Amino acid sequence: MNITQVKVIVTNPGRNFVTAKIETSEGISGVGDATLNGRELAVATYLSEHVAPMLIGRDAFAIEDTWQLMSRASYWRRGPVQTAAQSAIDMALWDIKGKALGVPVYQLLGGRCRTGVMAYTHAGAAEISETIDDLQMFIEQGYHAVRLQCGVPGVPDVYGVDRDTSTQPGAGTERPYVEGWDTSAYLGVVPKLFEAAREAVGFGTHLLHDVHHRLTPSEAGWLGKRLEDHRLFWLEDALASDYQSAYRLVRQHTTTPLAVGEVFTSLVDCEQLIREQLIDYVRASAVHAGGLTGLRKIAAFAEPYQVKTGCHGAADMSPITMAAALHFGVSTHNVGIQERALHPEEADDVFPHAYTFSDGYLDPGEAPGLGVDIDEALAERYEYRRGYLPVVRLRDGTLTNW
Ligand code: GCO
Ligand code: MG
């Protein structure tokens, strides 16, 4: 079965998504997500100009060889644009193989080793009390794990608070939106948030928090230590992860579990973090770390170091990525949790899918392949809109990490 066409579909059902659809000589097609939030057209062009032409005529079953070709044929290594394109092709080929053999992709990955993948979702409001209300609502909806964020006194527009996470950030802002930041005020409020949460719901629900790259190693060590009694499931992206060795200092000062890696594009980005056991969870996703093939390579390396995965699952990755994460999730031993942010309703219509959520667990379903598709006619109705991720400035105007 040969690849006959690679279509690139850009659509905006509530936010931008880029999809690769591979067609084959047997009439079986497969889909892969190539969405790189805020830089979507770079990947779309990379796919249609540089990737599609070299794939025509290739064996659609040769997944590993195609993955290696995409890693090596460009000469230039990794990079988010290249790996998002590689990820989409990889996912689409797994989808095709599953459909051709009549099995869900998780069967190709070794079969089920758990009944469902525990999901966490996001509670975040300006006031601590409102975040706790959200937390209680999610517990009623069946969640066993919830991420908590809250406003920082004196700082307007903080990450993870109030704005609709299905469409923000990155959906349709014509210039990067400017948020503020104050580390001292933040460090004052976060311990209070978790104290209030444990008082309200006890220890029966896993609680998580995303620092979103804002702290220095010593600040992160202090925060992790301060939160230890509240037993977080994880503290995420405490630092920008550009220098993996920076996590040594954090690790030396706290036993709060650490998660990093939604921006990682390959094992190279987290090899030291894993090998030195500086983290507990790697957040790499199927869409940015080389598809199912790339994600499996990271997970296999992490397993003996007792590092688990907790795949990035924000709304800026399409339902195709969620489907891939769940086939990986039920069949890979060292999967810890899966992030779940709801997509806009229109996006769920454009990408009909077989995966389900019940009692806090996600399941990929039993449809052959990935169990997700793109309704091309519907997708065409939603035109691409340029959108930027926000930036952050300190009180004195200095730019810092968003
Ligand atoms: C998360 C992430 C997201 C990112 C977004 C950027 O933990 O879900 O931090 O909210 O900010 O995916 O595109
Ligand atoms: Mg995050």
Side-chain angles (χ1 to χ4, degrees):
M1 179 164 46
N2 292 331
I3 295 172
T4 51
Q5 203 191 349
V6 180
K7 274 194 201 164
V8 182
I9 303 158
V10 182
T11 179
N12 184 326
R15 59 178 315 133
N16 293 321
F17 296 109
V18 179
T19 305
K21 180 170 181 180
I22 297 185
E23 278 163 11
T24 64
S25 48
E26 308 281 299
I28 296 175
S29 63
V31 290
D33 185 17
T35 310
L36 184 62
N37 196 13
R39 294 293 185 270
E40 297 86 358
L41 297 189
V43 187
T45 307
Y46 188 89
L47 273 167
S48 55
E49 286 298 314
H50 306 296
V51 173
M54 74 174 175
L55 298 186
I56 307 303
R58 286 180 56 83
D59 177 5
F61 267 22
I63 298 177
E64 177 69 20
D65 191 63
T66 299
W67 192 89
Q68 296 291 345
L69 179 75
M70 291 196 61
S71 302
R72 290 161 208 283
S74 65
Y75 181 66
W76 311 107
R77 297 286 171 138
R78 303 180 297 279
V81 172
Q82 177 159 285
T83 53
Q86 179 181 27
S87 299
I89 299 302
D90 185 78
M91 282 185 232
L93 294 181
W94 283 103
D95 190 25
I96 287 169
K97 189 173 276 200
K99 285 179 186 165
L101 300 178
V103 292
V105 165
Y106 75 78
Q107 293 291 11
L108 304 176
L109 305 179
R112 274 182 193 272
C113 63
R114 61 178 56 81
T115 48
V117 186
M118 183 167 66
Y120 76 90
T121 195
H122 305 162
E127 296 299 326
I128 290 179
S129 60
E130 298 167 306
T131 300
I132 307 294
D133 291 345
D134 278 8
L135 165 63
Q136 272 157 337
M137 176 186 78
F138 288 128
I139 293 173
E140 273 159 37
Q141 288 175 16
Y143 282 96
H144 306 293
V146 182
R147 190 188 82 172
L148 305 184
Q149 310 289 134
C150 72
V152 177
V155 181
D157 295 322
V158 172
Y159 169 79
V161 172
D162 272 346
R163 288 147 89 211
D164 176 2
T165 54
S166 67
T167 55
Q168 293 290 341
T173 45
E174 269 298 327
R175 285 277 188 282
Y177 184 83
V178 184
E179 293 184 357
W181 187 247
D182 181 332
T183 297
S184 170
Y186 167 77
L187 291 178
V189 78
V190 175
K192 290 186 189 141
L193 169 65
F194 283 90
E195 203 172 306
R198 284 304 183 204
E199 222 161 80
V201 305
F203 282 84
T205 301
H206 296 297
L207 301 180
L208 301 82
H209 181 68
D210 190 348
V211 182
H212 226 259
H213 327 280
R214 306 288 161 90
L215 299 178
T216 64
S218 47
E219 290 162 351
W222 182 90
L223 180 63
K225 195 190 281 179
R226 186 67 186 70
L227 294 175
E228 277 168 19
D229 287 346
H230 307 308
R231 276 192 268 142
L232 267 60
F233 187 91
W234 78 35
L235 184 66
E236 177 185 342
D237 286 335
L239 323 175
S241 48
D242 304 344
Y243 298 99
Q244 298 178 44
S245 57
Y247 267 88
R248 283 191 192 135
L249 191 72
V250 187
R251 196 57 151 179
Q252 281 157 8
H253 288 279
T254 180
T255 54
T256 291
L258 303 171
V260 192
E262 61 190 42
V263 299
F264 290 168
T265 60
S266 87
L267 179 56
V268 175
D269 298 322
C270 47
E271 189 270 338
Q272 184 183 11
L273 286 170
I274 294 170
R275 183 171 37 78
E276 292 189 24
Q277 296 182 299
L278 301 179
I279 56 169
D280 300 87
Y281 295 92
V282 58
R283 303 255 304 129
S285 69
V287 57
H288 299 134
L292 281 165
T293 301
L295 198 52
R296 291 179 86 211
K297 289 179 196 287
I298 292 174
F301 181 79
E303 189 177 344
Y305 296 102
Q306 301 188 41
V307 174
K308 295 184 179 180
T309 67
C311 292
H312 189 201
D316 48 71
M317 290 155 282
S318 87
I320 304 172
T321 290
M322 178 56 89
L326 298 180
H327 287 278
F328 166 82
V330 295
S331 62
T332 306
H333 190 259
N334 57 327
V335 164
I337 200 164
Q338 171 64 44
E339 181 179 19
R340 178 181 192 235
L342 295 182
H343 287 108
E345 250 171 59
E346 306 92 300
D348 282 328
D349 294 341
V350 167
F351 298 96
H353 48 265
Y355 61 77
T356 53
F357 173 78
S358 128
D359 189 30
Y361 290 87
L362 285 157
D363 190 274
E366 296 301 323
L370 290 175
V372 58
D373 208 346
I374 183 165
D375 180 334
E376 289 183 67
L378 194 55
E380 223 171 90
R381 288 203 224 148
Y382 300 102
E383 223 175 280
Y384 166 79
R385 287 172 62 203
R386 182 164 48 242
Y388 290 98
L389 289 163
V391 293
V392 181
R393 285 188 191 276
L394 304 178
R395 287 191 196 283
D396 70 355
T398 311
L399 271 171
T400 186
N401 299 325
W402 178 70

